[in-house]
Amino acid sequence: EKWAATRAKYPPTTLALQHFDATYGVQLGQQWPSVRVALLSERKYGALFNNFSHDAALADLEALGCRDFIRDIDAEAQPCPEQESKVVAEGESICVSMKKSDADGQQLSPLQLSPHIKCLVFPRGDITRFKPAKPDMLGLLGYYLMDAASVLPCLALNVQEGHNVLDLCAAPGGKSLALLQSQCIGFLCVNDSSVSRTTRLKKVLHSYVPKQLLTDEKLRVTSFDGTKWGEIERNTFDRVLVDVPCTTDRHSLMEDDNNIFSKIRTGERRKLPQLQAELLLAGIQAACPGGEIVYSTCTLSQNQNMSVVEQAVHSARENHGIHLQVVDLQPFTHMFRKTFNFAPDLPVGEMVIPHLTANFGPIYMCKLRRLT
Amino acid sequence: LCSSTSLHHELSSPSKKPDTELSLRIFLDMGFTDTQAEQLHDTVSKLRGGSAAKHVLSTLTALFALGLNPSSVLKLLDKCPELYSVKEPQLQQRIDNLRKLGLGEGSIQRVVAYYPQILTVPVKTVKTAVGFLREKCLFTVQQVTDILRDSPAVLTENLGQLEYKFQYVYFRMGVKQGEMVKSRLFRFTLDEVRHRHSFLERRGLYQTPDKKGQTVILNPKLDSILSVDQNTFLTDVALASAEEYDVFKRLMAREWHEQEQEGGRIEAD
Ligand SMILES: C[S@@+](CC[C@H](N)C(=O)[O-])C[C@H]1O[C@@H](n2cnc3c(N)ncnc32)[C@H](O)[C@@H]1O
């Protein structure tokens, strides 16, 4: 009795695990046990270095054995110069036939990775934890701790000088902060429908970014329902990040509080793919023609990842006449395989899958380019 | 048995004299080879204080009486030099007690050779441990005998630790006493057991049975989890790489250490 006494019969974390066993067991096959044990064990963090702080954090972290994973790349894994893209064909689903991209200059190469975004991690197999960041003399913190894999969607967004950028679901702000580190954004619009979470987001920004960079000309923080964005501000942004609410697999396995697998939230959970598709579609509409959109989640679920992308791409074309191209991120992710474990051969998008030796993720991302 | 008893009597008088008189001669007479006798003589003369050396002969006699040969006697004394200084009546009492607990001639001989420390454990401690195994863990008399034979070190383990290990395997892993004995559970440290079990559990390959003793998946037998080396465990049971398991063990060590610090240990009631 001692071991079982006080637990509720099916706490949300148990329900989440049962759900994942059923779906990911099939989806990932033999890989699932390794992903499962990683999800249930302590995760790894990355320290997003804050360029605006005067703390000596970088040197300190490097002295501890950390390295900036963005620069610590596989020499052989440079992306090929002629980048290929997956093109959306007519019909139900996304075709995986390869076609050369004609949009020159849009190609991802290591040179185009923002030179300013730095994220430090301990090497594979090293389980050392980061200490909390310290404030410098102006009170700005030296680094922000987040899943290092969460930096990938920001890098993949490939923000260029002067870009007008929208972060549609931004709170608590880790990815906004990573985008700001690129120091080349013309205007950043951060939005999150939750007012309490946007309040937290503002606090985060103020602990990391100097006031003069958070002025109305540079930044706007809003609390709109992101699904409505297409009605508010269409064809506007060069870059849009759509980091949607999802089943947050890791969190759902660890915390019973506020868990999306609790019985009372079943309806909300079932509606997630629909909400995600609406948010992505709104993000697509908010982007300008030629603009790029990155969709990301922190779940392994196919229904919330690939299917959502397919649905949104389909609906953009059918209902709004917007044609999109799925940008092949494989050359990009290939560079970082020293640090992360990527799911092999996804038909659409790329996914970091957790593994004990590199316990980051799950992070799914898919990049779309608006052709019209 | 008779002959060894007489040997015992014959030799008990020199043992009362100062240890310097323990000559090579006596050791040779007992059947040790020249080198063995010298080695023994050497060791004994280095023993501190007369009281230590004075029990040498009675100890040797008792060990021979168990049917051990000179070279295994020497080997086990090497492993456990404390035995040189155990007083004769105590030694005899301890041996008798083990016999009473069901260890027959062959068994007792093997146990002593494998784990000579067993003869340094006071009878009272043995009784407490056996009582614990019988009453708290509900092992049968025969099972207790098997445990003593296969895992004699159980007698020197801290009872709190032992209880925790038993409860972990019984409640958390849902394993019954018979399986525990068969897998020689008490040969393994709590950490070894927990590492392997929680690794399997988190991989989805082991489940705690419900109240009716049922699980959705088929759990591997405790025996197949414990009685194999790490490589076999990883390739045959856990289906995982050594790197994963290595990281996992380090993570667990930290997790458990922190739980203990928080006082989150399961209390025994
Ligand atoms: C995965 S989190 C975003 C994490 C954030 N991008 C970061 O890196 O820190 C998803 C967010 O979406 C927000 N959200 C949920 N529904 C929304 C909606 N309809 N419109 C905009 N934001 C929404 C949630 O409040 C939550 O903060």
Side-chain angles (χ1 to χ4, degrees), chain A residues 124-139:
Chain A
R124 258 181 200 267
D126 189 330
I127 61 164
T128 314
R129 290 178 184 147
F130 289 103
K131 294 200 187 70
K134 281 180 300 189
D136 68 0
M137 63 251 189
L138 296 174

Side-chain angles (χ1 to χ4, degrees), chain A residues 166-171 187 189-199 201-202 220-233 237 245 275 279 282 286:
Chain A
L166 168 64
D167 187 352
L168 194 62
C169 310
F187 185 79
C189 191
V190 280
N191 177 71
D192 197 287
S193 61
S194 152
V195 177
S196 63
R197 286 172 66 92
T198 39
T199 308
L201 166 70
K202 285 182 200 159
R220 188 174 77 201
V221 183
T222 53
S223 301
F224 298 133
D225 174 356
T227 60
K228 302 281 172 356
W229 212 275
E231 296 162 24
I232 312 170
E233 214 174 10
F237 296 94
L275 172 63
L279 284 166

Side-chain angles (χ1 to χ4, degrees), chain B residues 50-109:
Chain B
S51 68
K54 141 169 121 203
H55 306 293
V56 170
L57 288 181
S58 58
T59 296
L60 289 172
T61 310
L63 294 175
F64 281 123
L66 291 177
L68 291 155
N69 63 33
S71 68
S72 29
V73 165
L74 212 57
K75 233 185 274 162
L76 73 84
L77 284 169
D78 230 32
K79 264 206 254 180
C80 180
E82 294 93 318
L83 277 187
Y84 284 119
S85 37
V86 178
K87 292 194 191 91
E88 197 211 340
Q90 280 174 348
L91 198 62
Q92 212 44 62
Q93 230 186 348
R94 289 172 195 174
I95 292 170
D96 292 344
N97 188 46
L98 292 177
R99 287 215 173 91
K100 246 189 272 159
L101 290 169
L103 293 180
E105 278 320 305
S107 306
I108 204 164
Q109 178 187 336

